[in-house]
Amino acid sequence: MAKFFVNPEDVSSDIIMIKGTDVNHIKNVLRLPIGKEILINDRQGNDYECIIKEINTEMVTAQIINHMNNHTEPAVDTVLFQSLVKGEKMEFVIQKSVEIGVTKIVPLVTKRCVVKLESENKLNNKIVRWQKIAESAAKQSKRGIVPEVTMPMTLQTALEFVKTQLDCGCIPYENESAHHIKEYLQSLDAKSIGIFIGPEGGFTEEEVALAIEYGVQSITLGKRILRSETAGLVTLANIMYEMGEI
């Protein structure tokens, strides 16, 4: 059953209105007919089984036949602070982390980032594209929310965010050997975790030291050095496994 996301204000007691690009997708790509059952989510963890009642150029109207609480969301919130990486790697990270169960994705600006911030207009367009990728992945994986892709943060700002908004944070680091991710996660009693992933060249020693000053735990992911676009996904998967989500 195809799944779509709408804003909460588009849901009434018995009718849901689908607007925007999904209208074209329903009408011209999927070619769903009137009377077809679809699944709609209000971005707040509520799923609705619906039947398409009307299709026009600007809106699809669906009749609610069943309301369910979505149970696909992890019990632990994970915020991925992913250092900016080249080309399509960032898109890959966004897509796969949403599938695994990330709650929020924050592009991170660090000293060794090869990718530089663009003009405000280009950056806004890129965020819009990344958010569309997140929504597409959320549809495919039947998520109860669409994880937000935020504007980029500096490392300092991101560390402040973890300190004030999350229970804890970890930073995979190739020079760490004492603290393994498995032991770290098994010792946690947290409902929210920040994950800091370095760029292609890794974090500098000063950046890792700064993170530790903020209470972020330096961890190792094992004996092999992982690429930036791999490390975040491995860390997320480990969190989901240890928290009983996989």
Side-chain angles (χ1 to χ4, degrees):
M1 188 184 301
K3 183 168 187 174
F4 304 92
F5 286 90
V6 299
N7 295 322
E9 58 267 25
D10 294 324
V11 180
S12 64
S13 59
D14 59 346
I15 293 292
I16 298 179
M17 296 174 290
I18 301 175
K19 306 171 185 176
T21 57
D22 279 337
V23 175
N24 179 69
H25 192 67
I26 290 171
K27 182 179 179 181
N28 299 316
V29 179
L30 298 178
R31 297 182 182 275
L32 300 181
I34 291 175
K36 182 69 174 180
E37 289 189 14
I38 58 175
L39 192 64
I40 302 177
N41 184 278
D42 64 0
R43 302 177 189 268
Q44 295 184 334
N46 298 299
D47 281 337
Y48 300 86
E49 289 181 353
C50 301
I51 294 177
I52 296 176
K53 300 296 289 185
E54 183 180 351
I55 302 174
N56 58 47
T57 56
E58 296 182 354
M59 189 185 332
V60 173
T61 304
Q63 178 81 42
I64 298 173
I65 59 175
N66 190 26
H67 170 222
M68 308 162 291
N69 291 324
N70 182 281
H71 297 293
T72 63
E73 288 307 302
V76 59
D77 289 338
T78 50
V79 180
L80 177 62
F81 296 93
Q82 171 67 55
S83 293
L84 292 165
V85 287
K86 293 185 294 185
E88 298 179 352
K89 294 177 182 178
M90 198 73 183
E91 297 180 3
F92 175 83
V93 169
I94 291 168
Q95 181 188 65
K96 299 310 175 186
S97 61
V98 170
E99 291 178 19
I100 293 170
V102 77
T103 306
K104 186 193 296 281
I105 301 164
V106 180
L108 194 63
V109 180
T110 54
K111 289 182 180 178
R112 291 176 177 167
C113 279
V114 177
V115 178
K116 302 302 180 184
L117 291 181
E118 301 172 288
S119 67
E120 183 177 351
N121 185 53
K122 287 185 177 180
L123 179 58
N124 287 335
N125 290 337
K126 185 164 286 187
I127 295 296
V128 169
R129 173 169 173 76
W130 287 343
Q131 192 63 60
K132 288 180 179 178
I133 291 170
E135 180 159 335
S136 179
K139 291 177 183 177
Q140 181 275 323
S141 54
K142 307 298 183 185
R143 293 289 300 271
I145 64 166
V146 178
E148 179 189 7
V149 183
T150 74
M151 294 295 286
M153 290 185 187
T154 64
L155 179 61
Q156 182 83 47
T157 302
L159 290 169
E160 291 284 355
F161 181 91
V162 172
K163 183 178 180 180
T164 58
Q165 303 294 325
L166 304 180
D167 292 338
C168 60
C170 64
I171 181 167
Y173 183 46
E174 61 268 25
N175 293 331
E176 177 62 61
S177 59
H179 301 100
H180 194 277
I181 184 172
K182 182 176 183 178
E183 286 72 33
Y184 168 71
L185 293 175
Q186 289 179 343
S187 69
L188 284 182
D189 182 19
K191 293 297 183 182
S192 56
I193 304 175
I195 305 161
F196 288 84
I197 302 298
E200 284 92 344
F203 286 114
T204 66
E205 291 183 7
E206 293 78 14
E207 287 173 325
V208 175
L210 179 63
I212 292 172
E213 285 181 20
Y214 272 84
V216 174
Q217 178 64 61
S218 174
I219 60 172
T220 175
L221 300 178
K223 299 177 181 179
R224 292 161 295 282
I225 304 298
L226 303 180
R227 292 180 181 271
S228 179
E229 66 271 23
T230 307
L233 303 181
V234 168
T235 305
L236 275 170
N238 271 273
I239 290 172
M240 296 301 157
Y241 176 78
E242 293 296 339
M243 300 301 175
E245 299 290 343
I246 295 179

mmCIF file of all heavy atoms in Angstrom, residues 23-39:
data_model
loop_
_atom_site.group_PDB
_atom_site.id
_atom_site.type_symbol
_atom_site.label_atom_id
_atom_site.label_comp_id
_atom_site.label_asym_id
_atom_site.label_seq_id
_atom_site.Cartn_x
_atom_site.Cartn_y
_atom_site.Cartn_z
ATOM 1 N N VAL A 23 0.489 14.910 -5.495
ATOM 2 C CA VAL A 23 -0.683 14.846 -6.373
ATOM 3 C C VAL A 23 -0.279 14.302 -7.743
ATOM 4 O O VAL A 23 -0.906 13.376 -8.282
ATOM 5 C CB VAL A 23 -1.345 16.229 -6.508
ATOM 6 C CG1 VAL A 23 -2.489 16.167 -7.529
ATOM 7 C CG2 VAL A 23 -1.864 16.707 -5.161
ATOM 8 N N ASN A 24 0.779 14.871 -8.305
ATOM 9 C CA ASN A 24 1.273 14.392 -9.595
ATOM 10 C C ASN A 24 1.752 12.943 -9.498
ATOM 11 O O ASN A 24 1.541 12.142 -10.419
ATOM 12 C CB ASN A 24 2.404 15.282 -10.100
ATOM 13 C CG ASN A 24 2.971 14.808 -11.421
ATOM 14 O OD1 ASN A 24 2.315 14.877 -12.454
ATOM 15 N ND2 ASN A 24 4.216 14.325 -11.407
ATOM 16 N N HIS A 25 2.390 12.607 -8.368
ATOM 17 C CA HIS A 25 2.902 11.252 -8.195
ATOM 18 C C HIS A 25 1.752 10.238 -8.169
ATOM 19 O O HIS A 25 1.844 9.166 -8.780
ATOM 20 C CB HIS A 25 3.708 11.169 -6.892
ATOM 21 C CG HIS A 25 4.500 9.915 -6.751
ATOM 22 N ND1 HIS A 25 5.561 9.608 -7.565
ATOM 23 C CD2 HIS A 25 4.385 8.873 -5.887
ATOM 24 C CE1 HIS A 25 6.072 8.435 -7.217
ATOM 25 N NE2 HIS A 25 5.374 7.972 -6.205
ATOM 26 N N ILE A 26 0.698 10.581 -7.481
ATOM 27 C CA ILE A 26 -0.462 9.693 -7.405
ATOM 28 C C ILE A 26 -1.156 9.590 -8.765
ATOM 29 O O ILE A 26 -1.516 8.496 -9.224
ATOM 30 C CB ILE A 26 -1.465 10.211 -6.345
ATOM 31 C CG1 ILE A 26 -0.879 10.019 -4.944
ATOM 32 C CG2 ILE A 26 -2.815 9.495 -6.457
ATOM 33 C CD1 ILE A 26 -1.681 10.684 -3.840
ATOM 34 N N LYS A 27 -1.326 10.735 -9.416
ATOM 35 C CA LYS A 27 -2.113 10.797 -10.648
ATOM 36 C C LYS A 27 -1.369 10.273 -11.870
ATOM 37 O O LYS A 27 -1.920 9.484 -12.657
ATOM 38 C CB LYS A 27 -2.541 12.250 -10.874
ATOM 39 C CG LYS A 27 -3.423 12.474 -12.093
ATOM 40 C CD LYS A 27 -3.795 13.943 -12.200
ATOM 41 C CE LYS A 27 -4.657 14.202 -13.439
ATOM 42 N NZ LYS A 27 -5.013 15.638 -13.563
ATOM 43 N N ASN A 28 -0.100 10.684 -12.030
ATOM 44 C CA ASN A 28 0.588 10.414 -13.290
ATOM 45 C C ASN A 28 1.713 9.384 -13.204
ATOM 46 O O ASN A 28 2.123 8.847 -14.237
ATOM 47 C CB ASN A 28 1.149 11.721 -13.854
ATOM 48 C CG ASN A 28 0.063 12.738 -14.146
ATOM 49 O OD1 ASN A 28 -0.976 12.396 -14.700
ATOM 50 N ND2 ASN A 28 0.296 13.988 -13.763
ATOM 51 N N VAL A 29 2.239 9.151 -11.994
ATOM 52 C CA VAL A 29 3.314 8.167 -11.852
ATOM 53 C C VAL A 29 2.752 6.827 -11.387
ATOM 54 O O VAL A 29 2.889 5.805 -12.072
ATOM 55 C CB VAL A 29 4.400 8.668 -10.878
ATOM 56 C CG1 VAL A 29 5.500 7.625 -10.733
ATOM 57 C CG2 VAL A 29 4.988 9.988 -11.364
ATOM 58 N N LEU A 30 2.106 6.825 -10.224
ATOM 59 C CA LEU A 30 1.511 5.589 -9.721
ATOM 60 C C LEU A 30 0.196 5.259 -10.429
ATOM 61 O O LEU A 30 -0.222 4.099 -10.431
ATOM 62 C CB LEU A 30 1.283 5.707 -8.206
ATOM 63 C CG LEU A 30 2.526 5.894 -7.345
ATOM 64 C CD1 LEU A 30 2.129 6.039 -5.879
ATOM 65 C CD2 LEU A 30 3.496 4.731 -7.510
ATOM 66 N N ARG A 31 -0.466 6.279 -10.962
ATOM 67 C CA ARG A 31 -1.751 6.122 -11.660
ATOM 68 C C ARG A 31 -2.784 5.415 -10.767
ATOM 69 O O ARG A 31 -3.455 4.467 -11.187
ATOM 70 C CB ARG A 31 -1.568 5.362 -12.981
ATOM 71 C CG ARG A 31 -0.677 6.088 -13.985
ATOM 72 C CD ARG A 31 -0.559 5.329 -15.296
ATOM 73 N NE ARG A 31 0.322 5.993 -16.220
ATOM 74 C CZ ARG A 31 -0.038 6.977 -17.057
ATOM 75 N NH1 ARG A 31 -1.302 7.389 -17.057
ATOM 76 N NH2 ARG A 31 0.831 7.530 -17.872
ATOM 77 N N LEU A 32 -2.872 5.888 -9.544
ATOM 78 C CA LEU A 32 -3.820 5.286 -8.605
ATOM 79 C C LEU A 32 -5.235 5.764 -8.935
ATOM 80 O O LEU A 32 -5.472 6.955 -9.090
ATOM 81 C CB LEU A 32 -3.451 5.665 -7.172
ATOM 82 C CG LEU A 32 -2.062 5.226 -6.676
ATOM 83 C CD1 LEU A 32 -1.862 5.661 -5.231
ATOM 84 C CD2 LEU A 32 -1.886 3.721 -6.811
ATOM 85 N N PRO A 33 -6.205 4.858 -9.004
ATOM 86 C CA PRO A 33 -7.575 5.236 -9.367
ATOM 87 C C PRO A 33 -8.400 5.623 -8.152
ATOM 88 O O PRO A 33 -8.027 5.349 -7.002
ATOM 89 C CB PRO A 33 -8.124 3.946 -9.988
ATOM 90 C CG PRO A 33 -7.426 2.867 -9.216
ATOM 91 C CD PRO A 33 -6.033 3.391 -8.929
ATOM 92 N N ILE A 34 -9.511 6.279 -8.376
ATOM 93 C CA ILE A 34 -10.478 6.532 -7.314
ATOM 94 C C ILE A 34 -10.946 5.190 -6.765
ATOM 95 O O ILE A 34 -11.212 4.245 -7.518
ATOM 96 C CB ILE A 34 -11.661 7.363 -7.853
ATOM 97 C CG1 ILE A 34 -11.182 8.785 -8.185
ATOM 98 C CG2 ILE A 34 -12.813 7.395 -6.856
ATOM 99 C CD1 ILE A 34 -12.223 9.648 -8.835
ATOM 100 N N GLY A 35 -11.019 5.090 -5.437
ATOM 101 C CA GLY A 35 -11.383 3.840 -4.789
ATOM 102 C C GLY A 35 -10.193 3.030 -4.302
ATOM 103 O O GLY A 35 -10.362 2.057 -3.563
ATOM 104 N N LYS A 36 -8.975 3.452 -4.686
ATOM 105 C CA LYS A 36 -7.765 2.749 -4.271
ATOM 106 C C LYS A 36 -7.437 3.063 -2.811
ATOM 107 O O LYS A 36 -7.526 4.201 -2.374
ATOM 108 C CB LYS A 36 -6.587 3.163 -5.151
ATOM 109 C CG LYS A 36 -5.280 2.448 -4.842
ATOM 110 C CD LYS A 36 -5.324 0.988 -5.214
ATOM 111 C CE LYS A 36 -3.953 0.333 -5.023
ATOM 112 N NZ LYS A 36 -3.989 -1.093 -5.386
ATOM 113 N N GLU A 37 -7.037 2.047 -2.053
ATOM 114 C CA GLU A 37 -6.635 2.257 -0.664
ATOM 115 C C GLU A 37 -5.191 2.759 -0.603
ATOM 116 O O GLU A 37 -4.325 2.251 -1.305
ATOM 117 C CB GLU A 37 -6.771 0.965 0.147
ATOM 118 C CG GLU A 37 -8.198 0.541 0.411
ATOM 119 C CD GLU A 37 -8.282 -0.611 1.403
ATOM 120 O OE1 GLU A 37 -7.283 -0.895 2.077
ATOM 121 O OE2 GLU A 37 -9.369 -1.211 1.495
ATOM 122 N N ILE A 38 -4.941 3.740 0.244
ATOM 123 C CA ILE A 38 -3.595 4.273 0.464
ATOM 124 C C ILE A 38 -3.399 4.496 1.953
ATOM 125 O O ILE A 38 -4.364 4.507 2.729
ATOM 126 C CB ILE A 38 -3.365 5.598 -0.291
ATOM 127 C CG1 ILE A 38 -4.392 6.650 0.129
ATOM 128 C CG2 ILE A 38 -3.374 5.368 -1.794
ATOM 129 C CD1 ILE A 38 -4.162 8.018 -0.493
ATOM 130 N N LEU A 39 -2.148 4.671 2.351
ATOM 131 C CA LEU A 39 -1.798 4.949 3.742
ATOM 132 C C LEU A 39 -1.285 6.378 3.833
ATOM 133 O O LEU A 39 -0.423 6.784 3.056
ATOM 134 C CB LEU A 39 -0.732 3.966 4.225
ATOM 135 C CG LEU A 39 -0.433 3.906 5.715
ATOM 136 C CD1 LEU A 39 -1.651 3.433 6.496
ATOM 137 C CD2 LEU A 39 0.756 2.975 5.984
#
